[in-house]
């Protein structure tokens, strides 16, 4: 594509093929519409020859000396070329590269989860780049990352082929996995995302009936259990109330009897104590009164 001049605001030409009047060389080699060699002709004569047949003069080899041109219907030629490119893209298989990152000290649950992602990508016929990230002093033990990658490749040997062996690049160790021949040939079909089993309407109906039956049984058992608990609680409650009332009555009677007895004893003691107090000083006074008389 020629470099546009300064301040040239014309849009760039999309089709660079020179046809008809755009061919500016003095002479060209002409090929007929049936592929026969016509020979070297002046450009204006070749253009007139093409116009007589209602066709276009198309330059097909501009670098040749002289340039090679062909007489054909250029619109039909462009359409056929577009159809060929479309068919080529249709049969061309596009490969997508996915990346999954691991740590050398990854837990088993995380390892299983990321392994499931790798399996899903491989079944979709995508390539997977496995990356082990080392942090800090972990890079001094690259054998741990290599063991992890080799373990993953061994577990996925039916689905994947190792296209690039584990390679340490700075603080990352990478390995490239590609889908195996069994996956590419369709022998191993792709499962639904997340490996969730497909539930058919019949299975859904059966499961709904099973759930309904279980719910009915559970509710019946719950009702029976509640009834039994209520029947058990009723006699127990009556007996408990009666025993509580009886014990409370006995306790109240006993307490009232004790209080009465203690009150009587206290009253007796109170009655005796003033008389004794009066009698005790009376004896010395009588003795004192008898002494002067003597």
């Amino acid at each position: 594509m020629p470099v546009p001049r300064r301040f040239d605001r014309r849009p760039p030409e999309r089709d660079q093929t020179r046809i008809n009047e755009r061919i500016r060389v003095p002479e060209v080699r002409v090929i007929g519409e049936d592929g026969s060699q016509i020979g070297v002709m002046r450009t204006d004569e070749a253009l007139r020859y093409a116009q007589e047949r209602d066709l276009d003069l198309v330059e097909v080899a501009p670098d040749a000396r002289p340039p090679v041109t062909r007489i054909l219907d250029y619109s039909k030629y462009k359409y056929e070329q577009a159809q060929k490119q479309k068919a080529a893209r249709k049969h061309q298989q596009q490969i997508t590269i996915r990346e999954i990152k691991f740590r050398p000290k990854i837990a088993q649950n995380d390892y299983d989860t990321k392994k499931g992602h790798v399996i899903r990508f491989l079944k979709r016929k995508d390539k997977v780049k496995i990356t082990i990230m080392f942090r800090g002093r972990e890079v001094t033990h690259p054998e741990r990352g290599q063991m992890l990658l080799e373990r993953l490749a061994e577990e996925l040997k039916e689905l994947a082929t190792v296209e690039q062996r584990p390679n340490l690049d700075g603080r990352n160790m990478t390995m490239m996995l590609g889908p195996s021949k069994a996956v590419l040939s369709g022998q191993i079909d792709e499962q639904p995302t997340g490996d969730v089993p497909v539930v058919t309407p019949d299975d859904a109906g059966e499961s709904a009936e099973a759930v309904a039956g279980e719910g009915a049984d559970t509710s019946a058992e719950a009702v029976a259990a509640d009834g039994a608990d209520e029947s058990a609680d009723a006699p127990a409650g009556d007996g408990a109330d009666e025993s509580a009332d009886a014990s409370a009555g006995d306790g109240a009677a006993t307490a009232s009897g004790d209080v009465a007895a203690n009150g009587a004893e206290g009253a007796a003691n109170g009655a005796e104590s003033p008389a004794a107090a009066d009698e005790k000083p009376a004896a010395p006074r009588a003795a004192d009164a008898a002494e002067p008389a003597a």
Side-chain angles (χ1 to χ4, degrees):
M1 177 179 179
V3 178
R5 293 178 299 176
R6 191 177 183 183
F7 304 117
D8 188 1
R9 293 182 174 85
R10 291 179 300 176
E13 298 177 357
R14 297 183 180 275
D15 190 0
Q16 300 298 323
T17 304
R18 289 184 293 187
I19 62 174
N20 298 333
E21 289 82 3
R22 294 174 59 184
I23 302 175
R24 302 299 179 86
V25 295
E27 59 181 12
V28 293
R29 184 179 299 276
V30 182
I31 301 175
E33 63 272 16
D34 55 354
S36 61
Q37 293 283 343
I38 298 178
V40 179
M41 302 174 59
R42 293 181 58 83
T43 304
D44 53 352
E45 294 178 0
L47 182 59
R48 192 180 305 109
Y49 181 83
Q51 289 177 350
E52 290 175 356
R53 289 160 177 78
D54 293 333
L55 297 174
D56 300 315
L57 183 66
V58 182
E59 188 179 47
V60 294
D63 296 333
R65 291 293 180 269
V68 180
T69 60
R70 186 170 182 176
I71 297 175
L72 49 82
D73 187 350
Y74 186 61
S75 299
K76 182 179 179 181
Y77 172 75
K78 287 184 63 177
Y79 174 76
E80 291 177 353
Q81 292 296 323
Q83 291 298 108
K84 289 181 181 179
Q85 293 177 1
K86 183 178 180 181
R89 288 194 300 268
K90 183 178 180 181
H91 294 289
Q92 182 180 4
Q93 184 177 4
Q94 185 176 2
I95 300 297
T96 305
I97 299 178
R98 307 279 187 165
E99 184 176 9
I100 298 293
K101 295 183 179 181
F102 288 76
R103 291 294 309 281
K105 296 181 180 179
I106 187 171
Q108 183 63 34
N109 293 337
D110 295 340
Y111 174 82
D112 295 337
T113 301
K114 295 191 175 184
K115 176 184 172 183
H117 293 324
V118 175
I119 293 174
R120 179 163 52 89
F121 293 149
L122 290 173
K123 288 185 177 181
R124 291 181 180 178
K125 301 180 182 180
D126 295 337
K127 293 184 179 181
V128 184
K129 180 181 179 182
I130 311 298
T131 302
I132 304 293
M133 299 184 300
F134 296 96
R135 294 180 182 176
R137 297 184 179 180
E138 293 177 348
V139 73
T140 59
H141 298 282
E143 65 277 1
R144 294 185 177 180
Q146 186 173 0
M147 291 173 59
L148 184 62
L149 292 177
E150 291 178 353
R151 171 190 171 188
L152 182 63
E154 180 65 22
E155 293 178 356
L156 301 178
K157 61 182 179 180
E158 296 182 358
L159 299 175
T161 57
V162 180
E163 297 185 357
Q164 179 184 346
R165 301 296 302 174
N167 181 25
L168 183 62
D169 184 11
R171 289 187 173 272
N172 295 331
M173 181 177 288
T174 60
M175 180 180 68
M176 184 68 71
L177 297 178
S180 63
K181 294 181 179 180
V183 175
L184 294 176
S185 61
Q187 296 179 5
I188 301 178
D189 297 333
E190 178 184 354
Q191 295 182 0
T193 305
D195 295 337
V196 179
V198 179
V199 179
T200 61
D202 297 337
D203 297 339
E206 294 177 359
S207 60
E209 293 176 0
V211 170
E214 293 177 358
D217 296 339
T218 306
S219 60
E221 292 175 359
V223 171
D226 294 339
D229 295 338
E230 291 176 0
S231 61
D233 292 339
D238 298 339
D241 295 339
E242 293 176 357
S243 60
D245 295 340
S247 59
D250 296 339
T254 305
S256 59
D258 294 340
V259 171
N262 293 332
E265 292 178 359
N269 293 332
E272 292 177 356
S273 57
D278 294 339
E279 291 176 356
K280 289 179 180 177
R285 287 197 299 269
D288 294 339
E291 287 177 357

